Amino acid sequence: MTDRKTELAENLANVEERIARACAAAGRRREEVTLIVVTKTYPASDVRILSGLGVRHVAENRDQDAAPKAAACADLPLKWHFVGQLQTNKVRSVVGYADVVQSIDRARLVTALSKEAVRAGREVGCLVQVALDADATGRGERGGVAPAGIEELADLVAGSPGLRLDGLMTVAPLTGEYAGREQAAFGRLMDLSTDLRRAHPAATMVSAGMSADLEQAVAAGATHVRVGTAVLGVRPRLG
Ligand SMILES: *Cc1c(COP(=O)(O)O)cnc(C)c1O
């Protein structure tokens, strides 16, 4: 446990340093970027250590793993972000612990989240997940909606009781015109955020960047980076 704490502290310091450098290079203040540590596949004991090291935002992508972990960490001052593709039959559980759902990708999900948030007496923050590699079906390989679908979903979230429209999220595409061009992809997300904020000025969150590309996300203007591997280590299985 002590060794794990040392390891996580070192990794966290390294990531902090990367974020600080990226902010300095972009002429941004460090406080403009929030670190979300993606704890998927790692145990609640790691979440507890991270909390002790000052982490305040964690993310998970599977309800089966996240629900028991969040319950085991309910005493900690953490905000939980849900970043995975979300089936409507998991919505009730997710609303029980998630402060923000970053993977809003269809109207049916919004309706289900609203219903359960109202039932639970909670307000859930929502990010529309943007697929910059969306094909003709309007959907991306790694989830999300095509840019053309943002407005309709955003309006629906904004008009739904129990939900709060916080902004946009993306995962850098592996295919399509933005493959290998993370900075351009995140720049496009920023433009879409600017458009969104004309109608929804409070929707200021821009969640982009992971372990491999957080510098590009910070350079583009992201407000939140989601970092897993660089803090916790290479995951034992795909998650
Ligand atoms: C796993 C995951 C991350 C973190 O990825 P790393 O490469 O491990 O930093 C970020 N965002 C989403 C949506 C993820 O599923």
Side-chain angles (χ1 to χ4, degrees):
M1 181 63 113
T2 315
D3 287 352
R4 183 59 170 157
K5 183 171 179 184
T6 305
E7 185 183 1
L8 290 179
E10 283 174 6
N11 291 348
L12 197 57
N14 183 38
V15 167
E16 267 302 329
E17 170 86 27
R18 286 176 60 190
I19 296 171
R21 272 180 208 274
C23 284
R28 304 181 64 193
R29 286 178 297 114
R30 172 65 190 85
E31 312 85 76
E32 292 176 37
V33 179
T34 300
L35 169 64
I36 302 171
V37 178
V38 184
T39 49
K40 65 190 182 194
T41 76
Y42 285 96
S45 55
D46 281 354
V47 178
R48 191 164 287 279
I49 292 170
L50 289 167
S51 176
L53 293 169
V55 169
R56 290 294 170 264
H57 294 262
V58 294
E60 290 281 331
N61 72 337
R62 290 158 58 94
D63 176 61
Q64 304 92 294
D65 300 333
K69 226 183 278 186
C73 297
D75 58 312
L76 303 174
L78 292 168
K79 290 219 181 298
W80 292 79
H81 298 252
F82 193 86
V83 297
Q85 292 186 38
L86 180 51
Q87 296 165 273
T88 47
N89 64 352
K90 305 281 194 234
V91 161
R92 182 173 297 186
S93 171
V94 168
V95 163
Y97 56 86
D99 298 284
V100 180
V101 173
Q102 299 204 0
S103 43
I104 300 297
D105 61 356
R106 60 201 191 281
R108 221 162 82 77
L109 178 58
V110 176
T111 313
L113 277 167
S114 174
K115 184 173 146 226
E116 294 301 335
V118 168
R119 182 200 297 265
R122 286 182 59 110
E123 183 176 72
V124 179
C126 293
L127 303 187
V128 176
Q129 182 178 346
V130 181
L132 294 169
D133 60 346
D135 55 21
T137 67
R139 312 196 68 81
E141 195 175 36
R142 307 174 85 178
V145 285
I150 296 172
E151 188 180 354
E152 188 186 337
L153 274 183
D155 289 348
L156 184 60
V157 169
S160 296
L163 304 184
R164 182 185 69 240
L165 180 67
D166 282 344
L168 301 179
M169 180 272 239
T170 203
V171 179
L174 297 173
T175 58
E177 62 170 313
Y178 289 109
R181 300 174 57 226
E182 291 81 8
Q183 179 113 32
F186 299 147
R188 173 90 167 106
L189 185 71
M190 289 307 302
D191 291 343
L192 294 166
S193 168
T194 302
D195 292 345
L196 177 71
R197 280 177 279 130
R198 288 202 186 93
H200 303 283
T204 54
M205 266 180 83
V206 179
S207 173
M210 319 199 300
S211 294
D213 53 21
L214 73 87
E215 282 84 1
Q216 287 92 332
V218 171
T223 64
H224 291 68
V225 292
R226 310 178 306 269
V227 180
T229 311
V231 173
L232 289 138
V234 177
R235 285 179 291 276
R237 60 181 164 86
L238 277 183

